[in-house]
Amino acid sequence: MKHTPTPAGLAALEAQLAQDLEFLELPAKPWVPRQMHDGLPVRDVVVIGAGMCGLAATAKLVLTGITNVVAYDAAPAGLEGPWVTFARMQTLRSPKTLNGPSLGLPQLTFRAWFTAQWGVEAWQSLDKIPRVQWMEYLIWYRKVLDLPVRNSVRMTGVAPVDDLIAIDVEGSETGRVLTRHLVLATGRSGLGGFAVPDFLKGIDRTYLAHSADNIDFDALKGKRVAVIGAGASSMDNAATALEAGAGSVDMLIRRKEMPRINKLTGIGSQGVVHGIYHLPDAWKWKFFDYTASTQTPPPRSSTLRVSRHPNARFLLDCGIVSVEQDAEGLLVETTQGPMRFDFLIAATGFSNDFSDRPEFAAIAPHIRTWSDGRYTPDMGPPRAGMSEAPDLGPAFEFRERVPGSCPMLSHIHCFNDAAMLTHGKVSGDIPAVSAGADRLVRGITASLFAEDVETHFANLIAYDIPELLGDEWADSTPLLQKEAVQ
Ligand SMILES: Cc1cc2nc3c(=O)[nH]c(=O)nc-3n(C[C@H](O)[C@H](O)[C@H](O)COP(=O)(O)OP(=O)(O)OC[C@H]3O[C@@H](n4cnc5c(N)ncnc54)[C@H](O)[C@@H]3O)c2cc1C
């Protein structure tokens, strides 16, 4: 990393951030009345997941004066999200200038963090953000805001307790936690799991991995590897296998052509960020159906990282018909004929199928999805991955499939990728996560305030600290009477 002579350093940045927060009177003063239930403390909000979305949501809550909050993450500190676990790209796809989770605070941006340490020249010569460095920035973000995050704690269940939500946690904290609102910032795989095509069901894991699995790439040295898909993760996994010495890597791509245009990113604007949510449903469907059909291309650099290897092949129009395992490995029947491989990596994405996750067993049957009436056939053909998207309210809250069947859903907020069809891309990717956190926290704020309205009104009545002491004026009315007599 190139150092310029006088970067201000992180301490100076942190001092500037502290001053900005003070000038803006942030964090706002706590204002939510504390609740107890049967002698147990009740959280105002519990956030599950302390990846980028969970951190942004937690920070926004705290800055808004909702401080009785905790975020839990199953991962150990510093290993949240995909960045240093299963993400295998060298740099982020996102442009370095995006303000990400900075919540409108310039000193909280990646750019401020970077230039404070390495200077403006280094910033100018930086192309894309190195993947690991993005994680380092998120670690700093959490630290500098002193966010209430507890790691190595997994949420394993949700249940209603009167009008509260009880969550079960396991790990470095174990037991039941009561909360008024629950935010699921559980990431791309957080509501469902890995999407694995039917033709791979039953294949032994010694021959097969999902791109988000922990893969032993050294074990692929000299092996014939196939990667299914043509997205970013396909390229990253193929490149990692090639760099680890795989004998050959075939990219099995069903499409006749590689997707080449990043449509939704191309039209990115504040209009898209704030406008999609307010569009009629037919328009939301149209936008996301079109982008799903055109698909997001892999980044150019990731594709070149694969194609520079002579033992990599891009096999287009190569759909998979069936996969069988035998003594020689895998026999893959494709639309281009049979092929033999030793190992297959399915870069086939994630699903929003709540029933895949035991921690959501209690709520999954009650969650209303787009297929429960929000989607209508006049919007276009149904599309897997969209039809089962949750039908969310304005604060990302779930809705009940049958009214009255699971009232706590109105206090469970789906702040993750699954919200996209209802809310646009504001709860999953770097570009608009601050806007998403703002929308989420405004909704939670309104809900908490309305539910406590009697207490707030009682506080209004009880408030009795005078601004005027009584010695600032004299009543002139007697003078009027005197004037009238004269
Ligand atoms: C390989 C890959 C590369 C990507 N590259 C980019 C990129 O370049 N630019 C971009 O904008 N986006 C990128 N993304 C999208 C990326 O997922 C998001 O930008 C970012 O990670 C979203 O943050 P998140 O908080 O929603 O999810 P995550 O970062 O995935 O965090 C979710 C957290 O929830 C925790 N969790 C889940 N379930 C539980 C539970 N039951 N109990 C406790 N904790 C739980 C997990 O441990 C995890 O830490 C990429 C995604 C992948 C998979």
Side-chain angles (χ1 to χ4, degrees):
M1 189 73 56
K2 189 174 172 184
H3 283 255
T4 45
T6 52
L10 268 191
L13 174 67
E14 289 170 11
Q16 182 66 52
L17 174 64
Q19 190 188 71
D20 289 354
L21 290 171
E22 193 186 331
F23 285 7
L24 292 166
E25 290 193 280
L26 294 173
K29 72 169 188 206
W31 55 272
V32 186
R34 291 284 165 132
Q35 277 194 17
M36 300 289 282
H37 184 273
D38 286 345
L40 293 172
V42 176
R43 291 279 184 192
D44 295 329
V45 187
V46 170
V47 178
I48 301 299
M52 183 182 66
C53 286
L55 291 181
T58 307
K60 189 69 189 171
L61 286 162
V62 171
L63 293 178
T64 309
I66 304 172
T67 51
N68 180 20
V69 169
V70 65
Y72 293 117
D73 200 297
L79 297 183
E80 304 88 350
W83 313 110
V84 292
T85 49
F86 64 87
R88 299 183 173 112
M89 65 281 189
Q90 289 165 326
T91 65
L92 300 198
R93 172 201 285 271
S94 311
K96 64 180 179 181
T97 46
L98 290 176
N99 56 52
S102 60
L103 302 172
L105 295 164
Q107 315 303 340
L108 210 48
T109 55
F110 177 84
R111 181 175 186 162
W113 175 83
F114 183 96
T115 47
Q117 295 175 91
W118 296 289
V120 174
E121 252 180 63
W123 170 256
Q124 279 158 355
S125 54
L126 179 73
D127 176 25
K128 292 275 179 71
I129 300 172
R131 172 173 58 80
V132 175
Q133 198 167 46
W134 180 253
M135 185 75 234
E136 287 164 3
Y137 159 70
L138 290 177
I139 292 170
W140 172 78
Y141 177 99
R142 164 185 171 174
K143 185 182 126 251
V144 76
L145 292 175
D146 194 20
L147 297 179
V149 179
R150 302 205 185 145
N151 284 94
S152 305
V153 182
R154 175 174 291 281
M155 184 188 80
T156 55
V158 192
V161 170
D162 296 332
D163 56 353
L164 298 171
I165 302 164
I167 61 159
D168 296 318
V169 292
E170 273 178 25
S172 65
E173 188 175 321
T174 296
R176 235 173 195 207
V177 179
L178 296 175
T179 184
R180 297 177 66 183
H181 285 262
L182 178 64
V183 174
L184 300 179
T186 43
R188 209 156 269 213
S189 63
L191 283 190
F194 301 164
V196 180
D198 284 343
F199 54 72
L200 292 177
K201 304 240 158 94
I203 299 295
D204 199 292
R205 299 295 286 181
T206 47
Y207 301 111
L208 171 70
H210 186 273
S211 55
D213 277 327
N214 184 7
I215 301 173
D216 179 4
F217 283 93
D218 287 338
L220 301 183
K221 203 166 270 182
K223 297 270 167 69
R224 298 164 300 176
V225 177
V227 178
I228 305 177
S233 286
S234 326
M235 297 304 152
D236 300 335
N237 278 274
T240 310
L242 288 158
E243 288 159 9
S248 63
V249 174
D250 281 354
M251 313 288 300
L252 307 183
I253 303 165
R254 188 174 40 189
R255 298 182 157 246
K256 289 192 169 65
E257 289 187 23
M258 291 280 284
R260 289 171 57 184
I261 302 169
N262 198 342
K263 295 272 186 178
L264 206 52
T265 299
I267 64 150
S269 72
Q270 288 301 297
V272 173
V273 168
H274 299 292
I276 292 242
Y277 174 71
H278 298 281
L279 287 176
D281 289 342
W283 270 112
K284 292 184 188 187
W285 188 272
K286 210 164 168 168
F287 268 97
F288 291 112
D289 182 51
Y290 180 72
T291 44
S293 71
T294 50
Q295 289 196 323
T296 306
R300 179 175 156 77
S301 56
S302 310
T303 312
L304 289 171
R305 193 178 156 207
V306 176
S307 61
R308 76 169 65 107
H309 293 268
N311 51 342
R313 296 193 300 179
F314 291 69
L315 303 178
L316 290 140
D317 194 13
C318 189
I320 296 175
V321 181
S322 64
V323 180
E324 281 171 35
Q325 67 190 57
D326 57 26
E328 290 172 53
L330 295 173
L331 174 62
V332 180
E333 200 59 57
T334 77
T335 49
Q336 301 293 341
M339 299 179 187
R340 281 257 165 219
F341 298 105
D342 302 308
F343 197 77
L344 199 152
I345 301 173
T348 39
F350 302 96
S351 81
N352 286 332
D353 187 353
F354 311 104
S355 54
D356 277 1
R357 298 285 290 250
E359 66 263 49
F360 301 122
I363 57 172
H366 302 290
I367 293 174
R368 191 177 161 82
T369 67
W370 274 62
S371 63
D372 293 318
R374 192 152 180 180
Y375 160 77
T376 50
D378 55 310
M379 294 178 185
R383 178 181 282 281
M386 282 174 57
S387 309
E388 65 269 26
D391 169 2
L392 301 174
F396 299 85
E397 71 275 25
F398 289 115
R399 289 178 160 148
E400 297 163 290
R401 190 166 265 157
V402 177
S405 60
C406 188
M408 72 172 166
L409 285 181
S410 66
H411 286 59
I412 303 182
H413 306 262
C414 178
F415 194 56
N416 56 53
D417 225 59
M420 185 177 76
L421 186 54
T422 312
H423 276 272
K425 275 183 162 240
V426 295
S427 54
D429 291 338
I430 296 168
V433 62
S434 287
D438 186 62
R439 194 179 299 168
L440 171 78
V441 173
R442 278 171 196 258
I444 292 176
T445 299
S447 171
L448 288 170
F449 187 77
E451 284 158 13
D452 293 333
V453 68
E454 288 188 16
T455 307
H456 293 301
F457 191 71
N459 289 342
L460 177 70
I461 306 248
Y463 186 73
D464 62 357
I465 300 173
E467 274 187 44
L468 292 179
L469 301 177
D471 59 357
E472 299 88 350
W473 81 97
D475 183 358
S476 305
T477 323
L479 288 178
L480 283 180
Q481 285 159 1
K482 261 193 209 159
E483 282 165 16
V485 172
Q486 281 164 7

